[in-house]
Amino acid sequence: MTSMLVIITAAAFLMNVGGLTLYNFSLSYDKKAEELNAPDVIALVGKEGYRPAYEDFLNSDLSVVQTTSEDIIFMPECSFMFGGGKLTQGVLFQNMDISREMSPLTIVSGEDAPARNAIYAPYIMQLGGGYAVGDSITLEYKHEEYTFQITGFVEDIMLGCINMGVMGFYLPEPLYKRFLSDVPVYPAVLLSAKLDDPRSGEAVSDGFSAYFNEDGNVYYAVPATLTKYARTISANITSMLMVAFSAIITLIALIVIRFRIGDSIRDDIRDIGSLKAIGYTSNQVKASMLLQYAGIALAGSLVGIGLSYLALPLLASLLSAQTGLLWHQGFAPGTSAVCLLLILAAASLNVLQSARRVKSLEPVTAIRGSLNARNVKKNFFRLDKSKGSLQFTLARKLIVQNPVQNIMISIIIAAVTYASAFGLVFFYNMTVDSDSFIGTIAGEVSSLMVKPLSNQNTARIREEIGNMPEVRKSIVFDGVMVLVNDEVFFVDVTEDFDDLEGQMLYEGSFPESPDEIAIGGAASEKFGKSTGETIRVVNGQKEADYLICGLIQSGNNIGRTLTLTVEGVRRVIPDYIPAAMYVYLNDGVETASFINALEDQYGGIIDKPINLEELIDAATGSYVALISLFAVCVLMVTGFVVSLVLYFVIKTMVARRKRDFGVQKALGFTSLQLVQQISLSFLPVVAIGSAAGVACGYLFINPMLSAMFKGVGIMKFELVISHAWLATLCVGIVLFSYLVAALVSSRVRKISAYALMTE
């Protein structure tokens, strides 16, 4: 009973943590957005070309109930250290001394007396970036460095995370004005809008971008729904994995209960027969079993749910490092009650179904100690005719004598092995060989990106950089915005797609001619378009039809990505000249040193080069910590479950076959030989289950991840599945199981042939 209690406790623990994260984290985000009076749509517009028509357009939308505008400072590409790497983002500065109706300044930690060069940073800089109040932060912009002292941290729904491309900082008014006058920044206007239904935010922001797309003055427009999705996706995926794993553990608990009830009926057959003989009905006998096992399920669930609240702060801290928002989860009776009821209902139904055989028991037959009148089993592997050693023959006899038990163990081992393989593959692709994972999520990734200040210099600079001995190759890789069905899409542009090395394309081919286009898989499903069909692309007054030649995937821009050749872009932007290039360095070349050399040579004619390797490291650092924790927890739970199941099964078997083992001892078998028999009898069962779990992992992990990440534009995951790692996992589980079986079965040492004969 103890083993079942522990397994149910583990299932309830994972289910409640997963449920709280999946449901309550989203609710807490919405509550935080309401507390901060966050806008439902924001737009960033250049101050120089700003006109009242921008705000008038928002006010003309029937779903918009309120708008505000605020002058801000904008740095399109600003670099700073974050979590051990260098992050490059758009950065905007707001005047902290003015009042705001939407997203008012909300300081969550800080000093009372601001320093002369004080800055108030997004809270994610403390939670995930490694900064503290009083630390210095250096912002690199246009080859210059600007150092501030962090005086406090602020919470902001729309501008407080690292995966939306723009982050917001606050400056005291004197420093704000001085910075605006002394630094070559972009004065801009931040427009904010509240809607009667936040779900229409995407349509409003797309309409705004589409209407003003041609004037080129809109830097950024995003709905709150998209920000929420970006900030909660890691929590949602983590919670789904936990719920799935809890379902596996619950299934294991149900299998154990089913097996235990069968054993209970077999062991207590005479008692059940006696009860039925004196008038107890089958339903009354089943009710007593239901009360017993439902009580265990209730106790285990309550303990597991209680423990989950103790462990929740650790998970909350990891999620906060990615979202930039504190999550304080108190007791949630609704979510916990659902978890409790699910486990109780599953356990109760399983008990009633497993105890059905009580009805067919005849009292006379049961009192005799038999489940039926004829209870004779075939004698497999007769000792006088079987080949091989005696130990292996006896072990094989044990295997065939318990087919249901062996199937149960194989299923359990397969389930936990699959979960372990999932965590192990994810861990391998995040920490050991991350190229495939990063390529799938981020699309094309090179060593660095270079952007000349004048587009006219792009071709010359690219050729010169490409000829440097440290460089493997340099290619045009730029981006523009266009409209498809009045929705904003981001276009990846290059001259020859054969030069790309990422994992973007998953069906068809990249464009080769100006009239071809590759579109994202999410857009393909949304618009009902596939390869061989045409799609219309619009930019201002220009529009053109393109033939869809392939489907691509990318986590950038939540899957809103297209690819065109340079000539293809010129069909809708006739004067287009590529503005950026990707540079791929040779192995062993340090990217940071190469960037310094580039700045020395081209400092006056290029923007600050972006170290894409550091950018990826900074953006994925907190994810690596979360996945590592998940992988370790899964492996620990796997070992725990395997140990419990084998302990339960072997303990029961030793107790049931006590007389048989005593006879074998009387014949001269040693305790060590009996331990070997028992351990060897479980070896093939565990090996089959482990191999099945690894095979399922190999076949289904990538499809499962593809389904999970579909919402962010990743349609086909192709993670590296290391055969060596999976083989090691399989062998490790088999050896671990053999060791556990040997340790548990060592209790046969206490069996004495003399004691059995004198009892």
Side-chain angles (χ1 to χ4, degrees), residues 388-408:
S389 68
L390 182 61
Q391 288 291 85
F392 280 100
T393 301
L394 291 172
R396 284 183 291 173
K397 290 177 72 68
L398 287 177
I399 294 174
V400 299
Q401 287 173 359
N402 299 283
V404 176
Q405 169 188 291
N406 295 334
I407 292 173
M408 176 203 75

Side-chain angles (χ1 to χ4, degrees), residues 192-320:
S192 304
K194 293 285 286 187
L195 311 179
D196 56 6
D197 184 0
R199 291 174 295 181
S200 60
E202 189 171 347
V204 173
S205 64
D206 279 345
F208 182 87
S209 298
Y211 189 80
F212 296 106
N213 183 51
E214 192 173 10
D215 65 10
N217 199 40
V218 178
Y219 298 141
Y220 186 75
V222 65
T225 51
L226 189 60
T227 304
K228 177 182 177 180
Y229 187 85
R231 296 183 79 162
T232 59
I233 182 173
S234 58
N236 292 337
I237 292 174
T238 302
S239 59
M240 285 190 289
L241 292 175
M242 288 185 178
V243 171
F245 199 48
S246 71
I248 293 175
I249 302 300
T250 303
L251 177 62
I252 292 171
L254 297 180
I255 294 174
V256 171
I257 288 175
R258 187 180 184 88
F259 179 75
R260 185 66 186 89
I261 289 175
D263 274 356
S264 178
I265 293 174
R266 186 182 297 105
D267 295 341
D268 301 332
I269 187 70
R270 290 186 174 85
D271 294 337
I272 294 173
S274 299
L275 290 173
K276 297 189 75 172
I278 62 176
Y280 280 85
T281 65
S282 298
N283 288 335
Q284 288 175 317
V285 176
K286 288 192 289 185
S288 66
M289 292 182 176
L290 176 63
L291 185 62
Q292 176 186 6
Y293 289 101
I296 294 174
L298 176 63
S301 298
L302 292 175
V303 173
I305 290 172
L307 292 175
S308 69
Y309 282 102
L310 298 178
L312 201 59
L314 174 60
L315 177 63
S317 65
L318 291 173
L319 294 178
S320 295

Side-chain angles (χ1 to χ4, degrees), residues 364-623:
V364 175
T365 304
I367 291 173
R368 290 173 180 169
S370 177
L371 292 173
N372 49 60
R374 299 184 63 186
N375 190 24
V376 180
K377 293 183 179 180
K378 183 178 179 180
N379 182 15
F380 291 95
F381 303 114
R382 288 178 52 178
L383 298 182
D384 59 334
K385 293 184 177 182
S386 297
K387 297 180 179 180
S389 68
L390 182 61
Q391 288 291 85
F392 280 100
T393 301
L394 291 172
R396 284 183 291 173
K397 290 177 72 68
L398 287 177
I399 294 174
V400 299
Q401 287 173 359
N402 299 283
V404 176
Q405 169 188 291
N406 295 334
I407 292 173
M408 176 203 75
I409 294 174
S410 290
I411 292 174
I412 292 174
I413 297 296
V416 295
T417 301
Y418 176 79
S420 298
F422 187 92
L424 210 60
V425 167
F426 226 143
F427 177 78
Y428 180 88
N429 281 268
M430 289 288 285
T431 59
V432 180
D433 186 358
S434 61
D435 290 346
S436 180
F437 179 79
I438 297 301
T440 301
I441 295 293
E444 186 68 14
V445 179
S446 66
S447 303
L448 66 148
M449 184 178 75
V450 179
K451 184 179 293 185
L453 295 176
S454 171
N455 293 351
Q456 303 298 330
N457 296 327
T458 301
R460 176 180 63 83
I461 294 175
R462 180 167 63 87
E463 182 178 358
E464 292 176 359
I465 293 177
N467 291 328
M468 292 180 176
E470 301 92 341
V471 176
R472 179 160 52 88
K473 66 179 177 181
S474 63
I475 65 172
V476 167
F477 198 84
D478 198 15
V480 297
M481 285 195 306
V482 297
L483 302 177
V484 177
N485 286 9
D486 291 329
E487 294 187 20
V488 176
F489 278 78
F490 299 84
V491 183
D492 288 335
V493 187
T494 191
E495 294 178 329
D496 186 354
F497 284 94
D498 289 338
D499 291 330
L500 301 187
E501 301 177 356
Q503 307 285 333
M504 294 176 65
L505 185 73
Y506 71 92
E507 183 178 320
S509 61
F510 277 120
E512 295 180 358
S513 62
D515 61 346
E516 290 183 331
I517 190 172
I519 68 173
S524 171
E525 294 186 354
K526 183 175 183 179
F527 299 143
K529 299 284 187 178
S530 60
T531 54
E533 298 184 78
T534 60
I535 193 169
R536 179 159 296 182
V537 175
V538 178
N539 181 69
Q541 301 301 315
K542 294 285 185 178
E543 59 182 49
D545 290 330
Y546 294 84
L547 177 68
I548 301 173
C549 61
L551 301 180
I552 60 173
Q553 59 183 2
S554 173
N556 294 329
N557 310 308
I558 316 298
R560 290 188 173 195
T561 304
L562 313 171
T563 60
L564 287 170
T565 64
V566 173
E567 293 300 324
V569 173
R570 287 174 179 157
R571 294 183 64 200
V572 290
I573 310 177
D575 58 350
Y576 170 72
I577 298 176
M581 68 187 75
Y582 270 12
V583 179
Y584 302 77
L585 300 180
N586 291 318
D587 293 340
V589 178
E590 186 179 349
T591 304
S593 299
F594 182 78
I595 287 177
N596 292 334
L598 276 186
E599 290 186 289
D600 292 338
Q601 184 172 350
Y602 296 102
I605 58 175
I606 63 172
D607 270 336
K608 174 77 175 180
I610 298 176
N611 188 330
L612 296 179
E613 294 175 350
E614 285 190 340
L615 180 63
I616 294 295
D617 290 342
T620 60
S622 56
Y623 292 94

Side-chain angles (χ1 to χ4, degrees), residues 418 421-422 425 692-703 721-723 726:
Y418 176 79
F422 187 92
V425 167
V694 166
C696 289
Y698 182 81
L699 295 174
F700 300 120
I701 285 176
N702 277 322
I721 298 182
S722 171
H723 298 87
L726 290 185

